[in-house]
Amino acid sequence: MTHPVRRELLRQALLARKGGRIGTGGRGAVALRFDDGARDFRDKVLPLLVERNLPFTRVTTTQRIGSVRTESDTWQNIQHYCLQHGGEVWNHGATHRDASGDDALHQEIVGALQDLGRFLPRIPIDCFAPPGGASIRYDGHMPSRTVAAWAGTAAGRLIHDFHALASGYLPDSYYRPLDGVLRDGQNHYSLDLYTEPGRATALVDRAREWRAGIVMMWHANNLGVKDRQSMEAFTAILDYLVEQRDQGSLLVLTASGLGAADASSTHRDNILVTDSGNPFAEAIPYPQYRQNIPGSTRELTATVSAPAGTAVASVIGESTRHHVVPVGGTLHLRHLATVPLDVKSLEVTINAGSRDVRLVAV
């Protein structure tokens, strides 16, 4: 039995957190996805993303990755760094193993979702990313390349019924049309074997030139490993992406934000009422606190004018970032954070003269 009402409400809640469609103004968009390897992500990848102010999507199992147990002591860390630095978490199943039969499939898919809700209570778990591998069949759902695999299998229905959005392996779905329609089954590029940075930067170029959306995925535990992508190559890819973003050539979004992206619009939900101040400060209390705020990943941007070398602090609720005004006296501030589900008021401040201040969904 399917549950269309539940699914519709889940999708409404996800879109509400984005403030509706995310307008790209005709530009392409890229999302950065990182599967498994929680400690490798935290130690090797996260510092590079934070330094470059890039949002991210963590895809995680709850019990094990095949024969290796998921690092249970990282749940508090995952929740903390997602809130602090603008991350989201997707359900990846319980064990990264095959499952057969209604009870086993329910535990693998829905049980994992329920566990993530307990482990990460301050972060919404909206989406599902099926584990890859030729041995994973899910009673005919995997590799989820057909409509029948989604609609005609128990696993497909469970994924659909309990998640607002799910990725997959539908043919010809690497490049998203960016029309604001939440599409299940869209594919991603796995970059572990892209040892030459040019292969990955070419994907960024296509997203920009074709005005399309792509998801670039890594397993953090494979970075820097023999015959896999080096950390130097990974860093070069991030730097190229930042260069394109800062030039205004494309957007970098979360994977769920990419699902809501709309190239035909320029609208991006901005929850701030004011856009300037010296210093800047705005409080959003209850009941002004709206459905599009709790659990949303947001990007604070502003133009700050101050003498070169001035230390500037920006605050989004619990998240604080420190910046330094560069030579020339103009700082183009960027700060990413995820608003906790349980917060009832939100304070946004920049302790310097700021204009063009926005807090938009990613």
Side-chain angles (χ1 to χ4, degrees), residues 49-96:
L49 300 178
V50 172
E51 182 181 5
R52 291 159 178 78
N53 296 298
L54 291 167
F56 57 89
T57 297
R58 283 284 292 117
V59 173
T60 182
T61 56
T62 56
Q63 295 179 20
R64 62 182 62 88
I65 306 163
S67 61
V68 180
R69 282 204 65 82
T70 303
E71 303 99 315
S72 59
D73 64 340
T74 61
W75 295 119
Q76 187 174 1
N77 288 327
I78 290 172
Q79 180 168 263
H80 176 75
Y81 64 59
C82 284
L83 294 174
Q84 289 291 312
H85 303 301
E88 67 176 5
V89 175
W90 283 37
N91 182 13
H92 201 36
T95 68
H96 214 290

Short mmCIF file of all heavy atoms in Angstrom, two decimals, residues 49-96:
data_model
loop_
_atom_site.label_atom_id
_atom_site.label_comp_id
_atom_site.label_asym_id
_atom_site.label_seq_id
_atom_site.Cartn_x
_atom_site.Cartn_y
_atom_site.Cartn_z
N LEU A 49 35.97 22.26 3.00
CA LEU A 49 34.66 22.84 2.66
C LEU A 49 34.39 24.09 3.49
O LEU A 49 33.89 25.10 2.97
CB LEU A 49 33.56 21.80 2.91
CG LEU A 49 33.65 20.50 2.13
CD1 LEU A 49 32.50 19.57 2.52
CD2 LEU A 49 33.64 20.75 0.63
N VAL A 50 34.72 24.04 4.77
CA VAL A 50 34.49 25.19 5.65
C VAL A 50 35.33 26.37 5.20
O VAL A 50 34.85 27.51 5.14
CB VAL A 50 34.80 24.81 7.12
CG1 VAL A 50 34.75 26.05 8.01
CG2 VAL A 50 33.81 23.76 7.61
N GLU A 51 36.58 26.10 4.87
CA GLU A 51 37.47 27.17 4.43
C GLU A 51 36.94 27.87 3.18
O GLU A 51 37.12 29.08 3.01
CB GLU A 51 38.86 26.59 4.14
CG GLU A 51 39.89 27.61 3.72
CD GLU A 51 41.23 26.98 3.41
OE1 GLU A 51 41.34 25.74 3.43
OE2 GLU A 51 42.19 27.73 3.16
N ARG A 52 36.22 27.13 2.32
CA ARG A 52 35.73 27.66 1.06
C ARG A 52 34.24 28.01 1.10
O ARG A 52 33.67 28.39 0.08
CB ARG A 52 36.00 26.65 -0.05
CG ARG A 52 37.48 26.51 -0.36
CD ARG A 52 37.82 25.22 -1.06
NE ARG A 52 39.23 25.17 -1.37
CZ ARG A 52 40.20 24.88 -0.49
NH1 ARG A 52 39.86 24.60 0.78
NH2 ARG A 52 41.46 24.88 -0.85
N ASN A 53 33.61 27.85 2.26
CA ASN A 53 32.20 28.20 2.42
C ASN A 53 31.32 27.46 1.42
O ASN A 53 30.53 28.06 0.68
CB ASN A 53 32.00 29.71 2.30
CG ASN A 53 32.69 30.48 3.39
OD1 ASN A 53 32.38 30.31 4.57
ND2 ASN A 53 33.66 31.31 3.01
N LEU A 54 31.44 26.14 1.41
CA LEU A 54 30.67 25.30 0.49
C LEU A 54 29.67 24.46 1.27
O LEU A 54 30.03 23.77 2.23
CB LEU A 54 31.61 24.38 -0.29
CG LEU A 54 32.52 25.06 -1.31
CD1 LEU A 54 33.61 24.10 -1.77
CD2 LEU A 54 31.72 25.57 -2.49
N PRO A 55 28.40 24.46 0.87
CA PRO A 55 27.42 23.56 1.50
C PRO A 55 27.69 22.13 1.08
O PRO A 55 28.33 21.87 0.05
CB PRO A 55 26.08 24.07 0.95
CG PRO A 55 26.43 24.63 -0.39
CD PRO A 55 27.81 25.24 -0.24
N PHE A 56 27.17 21.17 1.85
CA PHE A 56 27.48 19.77 1.55
C PHE A 56 26.32 18.87 1.96
O PHE A 56 25.47 19.23 2.79
CB PHE A 56 28.75 19.33 2.27
CG PHE A 56 28.72 19.51 3.77
CD1 PHE A 56 28.24 18.52 4.60
CD2 PHE A 56 29.15 20.71 4.34
CE1 PHE A 56 28.21 18.69 5.99
CE2 PHE A 56 29.13 20.89 5.72
CZ PHE A 56 28.65 19.88 6.54
N THR A 57 26.31 17.69 1.37
CA THR A 57 25.33 16.66 1.68
C THR A 57 26.06 15.41 2.15
O THR A 57 26.92 14.89 1.44
CB THR A 57 24.47 16.32 0.45
OG1 THR A 57 23.73 17.49 0.07
CG2 THR A 57 23.51 15.19 0.74
N ARG A 58 25.76 14.97 3.38
CA ARG A 58 26.32 13.74 3.93
C ARG A 58 25.32 12.62 3.76
O ARG A 58 24.15 12.76 4.11
CB ARG A 58 26.65 13.92 5.42
CG ARG A 58 27.91 14.70 5.68
CD ARG A 58 29.18 13.89 5.44
NE ARG A 58 29.31 12.82 6.43
CZ ARG A 58 29.30 11.52 6.12
NH1 ARG A 58 29.15 11.12 4.88
NH2 ARG A 58 29.42 10.63 7.08
N VAL A 59 25.77 11.50 3.20
CA VAL A 59 24.94 10.32 2.98
C VAL A 59 25.50 9.21 3.87
O VAL A 59 26.66 8.83 3.73
CB VAL A 59 24.95 9.92 1.50
CG1 VAL A 59 24.23 8.60 1.30
CG2 VAL A 59 24.30 11.02 0.65
N THR A 60 24.66 8.69 4.79
CA THR A 60 25.22 7.78 5.79
C THR A 60 24.29 6.62 6.11
O THR A 60 23.07 6.77 6.16
CB THR A 60 25.55 8.55 7.09
OG1 THR A 60 26.15 7.66 8.03
CG2 THR A 60 24.31 9.17 7.71
N THR A 61 24.90 5.47 6.31
CA THR A 61 24.19 4.33 6.88
C THR A 61 24.15 4.49 8.40
O THR A 61 24.84 5.33 8.97
CB THR A 61 24.91 3.01 6.53
OG1 THR A 61 26.27 3.10 6.98
CG2 THR A 61 24.89 2.76 5.03
N THR A 62 23.35 3.64 9.05
CA THR A 62 23.19 3.78 10.49
C THR A 62 23.89 2.69 11.30
O THR A 62 24.24 2.90 12.46
CB THR A 62 21.71 3.76 10.88
OG1 THR A 62 21.11 2.56 10.38
CG2 THR A 62 20.99 4.97 10.31
N GLN A 63 24.11 1.51 10.70
CA GLN A 63 24.69 0.40 11.46
C GLN A 63 26.07 0.01 10.95
O GLN A 63 27.02 -0.09 11.72
CB GLN A 63 23.77 -0.82 11.40
CG GLN A 63 22.43 -0.60 12.08
CD GLN A 63 21.54 -1.83 11.98
OE1 GLN A 63 22.00 -2.94 11.74
NE2 GLN A 63 20.24 -1.62 12.14
N ARG A 64 26.20 -0.22 9.66
CA ARG A 64 27.48 -0.64 9.11
C ARG A 64 27.53 -0.32 7.63
O ARG A 64 26.52 -0.02 7.00
CB ARG A 64 27.72 -2.14 9.34
CG ARG A 64 26.71 -3.03 8.66
CD ARG A 64 26.98 -4.50 8.96
NE ARG A 64 26.86 -4.78 10.38
CZ ARG A 64 25.72 -5.12 10.98
NH1 ARG A 64 24.61 -5.20 10.28
NH2 ARG A 64 25.68 -5.35 12.27
N ILE A 65 28.74 -0.37 7.10
CA ILE A 65 28.97 -0.25 5.66
C ILE A 65 29.51 -1.59 5.21
O ILE A 65 30.71 -1.85 5.27
CB ILE A 65 29.96 0.89 5.35
CG1 ILE A 65 29.49 2.19 6.00
CG2 ILE A 65 30.12 1.08 3.85
CD1 ILE A 65 30.58 3.25 6.08
N GLY A 66 28.59 -2.48 4.84
CA GLY A 66 28.99 -3.85 4.56
C GLY A 66 29.40 -4.53 5.84
O GLY A 66 28.57 -4.74 6.73
N SER A 67 30.68 -4.88 5.97
CA SER A 67 31.16 -5.58 7.17
C SER A 67 31.75 -4.62 8.21
O SER A 67 32.10 -5.05 9.31
CB SER A 67 32.23 -6.60 6.79
OG SER A 67 33.34 -5.95 6.18
N VAL A 68 31.85 -3.33 7.88
CA VAL A 68 32.47 -2.35 8.78
C VAL A 68 31.38 -1.56 9.50
O VAL A 68 30.51 -0.96 8.85
CB VAL A 68 33.39 -1.39 8.00
CG1 VAL A 68 34.02 -0.38 8.94
CG2 VAL A 68 34.45 -2.16 7.24
N ARG A 69 31.44 -1.53 10.81
CA ARG A 69 30.42 -0.81 11.56
C ARG A 69 30.54 0.69 11.34
O ARG A 69 31.64 1.25 11.29
CB ARG A 69 30.53 -1.09 13.08
CG ARG A 69 29.95 -2.43 13.48
CD ARG A 69 29.55 -2.43 14.96
NE ARG A 69 28.47 -1.51 15.24
CZ ARG A 69 27.17 -1.77 15.05
NH1 ARG A 69 26.80 -2.92 14.53
NH2 ARG A 69 26.25 -0.89 15.37
N THR A 70 29.39 1.33 11.19
CA THR A 70 29.36 2.78 11.14
C THR A 70 29.86 3.33 12.47
O THR A 70 29.49 2.83 13.53
CB THR A 70 27.93 3.28 10.88
OG1 THR A 70 27.46 2.69 9.65
CG2 THR A 70 27.88 4.78 10.74
N GLU A 71 30.67 4.37 12.42
CA GLU A 71 31.27 4.91 13.64
C GLU A 71 30.20 5.63 14.47
O GLU A 71 29.86 6.76 14.20
CB GLU A 71 32.40 5.89 13.31
CG GLU A 71 33.50 5.29 12.44
CD GLU A 71 33.31 5.66 10.97
OE1 GLU A 71 32.17 5.57 10.47
OE2 GLU A 71 34.29 6.02 10.33
N SER A 72 29.67 4.93 15.47
CA SER A 72 28.53 5.46 16.23
C SER A 72 28.90 6.70 17.03
O SER A 72 28.05 7.53 17.33
CB SER A 72 27.97 4.39 17.16
OG SER A 72 28.96 3.94 18.06
N ASP A 73 30.20 6.85 17.37
CA ASP A 73 30.57 8.00 18.19
C ASP A 73 30.64 9.29 17.39
O ASP A 73 31.01 10.32 17.91
CB ASP A 73 31.90 7.73 18.89
CG ASP A 73 33.06 7.59 17.93
OD1 ASP A 73 32.82 7.33 16.75
OD2 ASP A 73 34.22 7.75 18.37
N THR A 74 30.32 9.23 16.09
CA THR A 74 30.38 10.43 15.27
C THR A 74 29.02 11.12 15.13
O THR A 74 28.94 12.18 14.52
CB THR A 74 30.91 10.13 13.86
OG1 THR A 74 30.02 9.20 13.23
CG2 THR A 74 32.31 9.54 13.92
N TRP A 75 27.94 10.54 15.63
CA TRP A 75 26.62 11.14 15.40
C TRP A 75 26.54 12.56 15.95
O TRP A 75 26.04 13.47 15.29
CB TRP A 75 25.52 10.27 16.03
CG TRP A 75 25.39 8.93 15.38
CD1 TRP A 75 25.55 7.72 15.96
CD2 TRP A 75 25.11 8.66 14.00
NE1 TRP A 75 25.39 6.70 15.05
CE2 TRP A 75 25.12 7.25 13.85
CE3 TRP A 75 24.85 9.46 12.90
CZ2 TRP A 75 24.86 6.63 12.61
CZ3 TRP A 75 24.61 8.85 11.67
CH2 TRP A 75 24.63 7.45 11.54
N GLN A 76 27.02 12.77 17.17
CA GLN A 76 27.00 14.11 17.74
C GLN A 76 27.85 15.06 16.90
O GLN A 76 27.48 16.22 16.69
CB GLN A 76 27.48 14.08 19.19
CG GLN A 76 27.33 15.43 19.90
CD GLN A 76 27.68 15.33 21.38
OE1 GLN A 76 28.06 14.27 21.87
NE2 GLN A 76 27.56 16.44 22.09
N ASN A 77 28.99 14.57 16.43
CA ASN A 77 29.84 15.40 15.58
C ASN A 77 29.16 15.74 14.26
O ASN A 77 29.23 16.88 13.78
CB ASN A 77 31.16 14.68 15.29
CG ASN A 77 32.07 14.62 16.49
OD1 ASN A 77 32.08 15.53 17.30
ND2 ASN A 77 32.83 13.54 16.61
N ILE A 78 28.50 14.75 13.66
CA ILE A 78 27.80 15.00 12.39
C ILE A 78 26.75 16.08 12.58
O ILE A 78 26.65 17.03 11.79
CB ILE A 78 27.17 13.71 11.86
CG1 ILE A 78 28.25 12.74 11.38
CG2 ILE A 78 26.20 14.01 10.72
CD1 ILE A 78 27.74 11.37 11.00
N GLN A 79 25.93 15.95 13.62
CA GLN A 79 24.89 16.95 13.86
C GLN A 79 25.51 18.32 14.09
O GLN A 79 25.03 19.33 13.55
CB GLN A 79 24.05 16.53 15.06
CG GLN A 79 22.93 17.52 15.38
CD GLN A 79 21.95 16.93 16.37
OE1 GLN A 79 20.92 16.42 15.99
NE2 GLN A 79 22.29 16.99 17.66
N HIS A 80 26.59 18.36 14.86
CA HIS A 80 27.22 19.64 15.19
C HIS A 80 27.77 20.32 13.94
O HIS A 80 27.51 21.50 13.69
CB HIS A 80 28.33 19.42 16.21
CG HIS A 80 29.10 20.67 16.54
ND1 HIS A 80 28.58 21.67 17.34
CD2 HIS A 80 30.34 21.09 16.15
CE1 HIS A 80 29.47 22.65 17.44
NE2 HIS A 80 30.54 22.32 16.73
N TYR A 81 28.55 19.59 13.15
CA TYR A 81 29.18 20.28 12.02
C TYR A 81 28.18 20.61 10.91
O TYR A 81 28.38 21.56 10.17
CB TYR A 81 30.42 19.56 11.51
CG TYR A 81 30.30 18.19 10.90
CD1 TYR A 81 29.51 17.93 9.77
CD2 TYR A 81 31.07 17.14 11.40
CE1 TYR A 81 29.47 16.67 9.20
CE2 TYR A 81 31.04 15.88 10.83
CZ TYR A 81 30.24 15.65 9.72
OH TYR A 81 30.20 14.41 9.15
N CYS A 82 27.10 19.85 10.80
CA CYS A 82 26.06 20.23 9.84
C CYS A 82 25.39 21.53 10.26
O CYS A 82 25.17 22.43 9.43
CB CYS A 82 25.03 19.12 9.71
SG CYS A 82 25.57 17.71 8.71
N LEU A 83 25.07 21.66 11.53
CA LEU A 83 24.46 22.89 12.02
C LEU A 83 25.42 24.07 11.89
O LEU A 83 25.02 25.17 11.49
CB LEU A 83 24.03 22.72 13.48
CG LEU A 83 22.91 21.70 13.75
CD1 LEU A 83 22.70 21.55 15.25
CD2 LEU A 83 21.62 22.10 13.07
N GLN A 84 26.66 23.85 12.22
CA GLN A 84 27.63 24.94 12.21
C GLN A 84 28.01 25.39 10.81
O GLN A 84 28.26 26.58 10.58
CB GLN A 84 28.89 24.51 12.96
CG GLN A 84 28.72 24.38 14.45
CD GLN A 84 28.49 25.72 15.12
OE1 GLN A 84 29.22 26.68 14.88
NE2 GLN A 84 27.47 25.82 15.95
N HIS A 85 28.06 24.45 9.86
CA HIS A 85 28.70 24.75 8.58
C HIS A 85 27.83 24.50 7.35
O HIS A 85 28.36 24.50 6.23
CB HIS A 85 30.00 23.96 8.47
CG HIS A 85 30.95 24.22 9.58
ND1 HIS A 85 31.45 25.47 9.86
CD2 HIS A 85 31.49 23.38 10.52
CE1 HIS A 85 32.27 25.40 10.90
NE2 HIS A 85 32.30 24.15 11.33
N GLY A 86 26.54 24.28 7.52
CA GLY A 86 25.66 24.23 6.36
C GLY A 86 25.62 22.88 5.67
O GLY A 86 25.76 22.80 4.44
N GLY A 87 25.38 21.82 6.44
CA GLY A 87 25.28 20.49 5.85
C GLY A 87 23.90 19.89 6.04
O GLY A 87 23.12 20.32 6.90
N GLU A 88 23.58 18.92 5.21
CA GLU A 88 22.36 18.13 5.37
C GLU A 88 22.75 16.65 5.36
O GLU A 88 23.85 16.29 4.95
CB GLU A 88 21.36 18.42 4.24
CG GLU A 88 21.81 17.96 2.86
CD GLU A 88 20.76 18.16 1.78
OE1 GLU A 88 19.69 18.74 2.07
OE2 GLU A 88 21.01 17.74 0.63
N VAL A 89 21.82 15.79 5.84
CA VAL A 89 22.08 14.36 5.93
C VAL A 89 20.98 13.60 5.21
O VAL A 89 19.79 13.89 5.39
CB VAL A 89 22.16 13.90 7.40
CG1 VAL A 89 22.31 12.38 7.49
CG2 VAL A 89 23.31 14.59 8.12
N TRP A 90 21.40 12.63 4.39
CA TRP A 90 20.47 11.74 3.68
C TRP A 90 20.58 10.33 4.25
O TRP A 90 21.66 9.88 4.64
CB TRP A 90 20.80 11.70 2.20
CG TRP A 90 20.36 12.90 1.40
CD1 TRP A 90 20.38 14.20 1.80
CD2 TRP A 90 19.88 12.89 0.05
NE1 TRP A 90 19.93 15.02 0.78
CE2 TRP A 90 19.63 14.23 -0.31
CE3 TRP A 90 19.66 11.90 -0.89
CZ2 TRP A 90 19.15 14.60 -1.57
CZ3 TRP A 90 19.18 12.26 -2.14
CH2 TRP A 90 18.92 13.59 -2.47
N ASN A 91 19.46 9.63 4.25
CA ASN A 91 19.39 8.23 4.64
C ASN A 91 20.03 7.36 3.55
O ASN A 91 19.75 7.53 2.37
CB ASN A 91 17.92 7.85 4.85
CG ASN A 91 17.73 6.41 5.30
OD1 ASN A 91 18.67 5.73 5.69
ND2 ASN A 91 16.49 5.95 5.25
N HIS A 92 20.89 6.42 3.96
CA HIS A 92 21.60 5.53 3.03
C HIS A 92 21.32 4.07 3.38
O HIS A 92 22.04 3.17 2.93
CB HIS A 92 23.10 5.82 3.14
CG HIS A 92 23.92 5.40 1.96
ND1 HIS A 92 23.49 5.46 0.66
CD2 HIS A 92 25.21 4.92 1.91
CE1 HIS A 92 24.46 5.05 -0.15
NE2 HIS A 92 25.50 4.70 0.58
N GLY A 93 20.27 3.85 4.20
CA GLY A 93 19.98 2.50 4.65
C GLY A 93 20.72 2.16 5.93
O GLY A 93 21.52 2.93 6.44
N ALA A 94 20.45 0.97 6.45
CA ALA A 94 21.04 0.57 7.73
C ALA A 94 22.43 -0.04 7.57
O ALA A 94 23.32 0.25 8.36
CB ALA A 94 20.11 -0.42 8.43
N THR A 95 22.62 -0.89 6.55
CA THR A 95 23.84 -1.70 6.53
C THR A 95 24.63 -1.65 5.22
O THR A 95 25.69 -2.27 5.14
CB THR A 95 23.51 -3.17 6.81
OG1 THR A 95 22.75 -3.69 5.70
CG2 THR A 95 22.73 -3.31 8.10
N HIS A 96 24.12 -0.96 4.20
CA HIS A 96 24.78 -0.98 2.88
C HIS A 96 24.86 -2.40 2.35
O HIS A 96 25.79 -2.76 1.60
CB HIS A 96 26.17 -0.35 2.95
CG HIS A 96 26.57 0.40 1.71
ND1 HIS A 96 26.84 -0.23 0.52
CD2 HIS A 96 26.75 1.72 1.47
CE1 HIS A 96 27.17 0.66 -0.39
NE2 HIS A 96 27.11 1.86 0.15
#
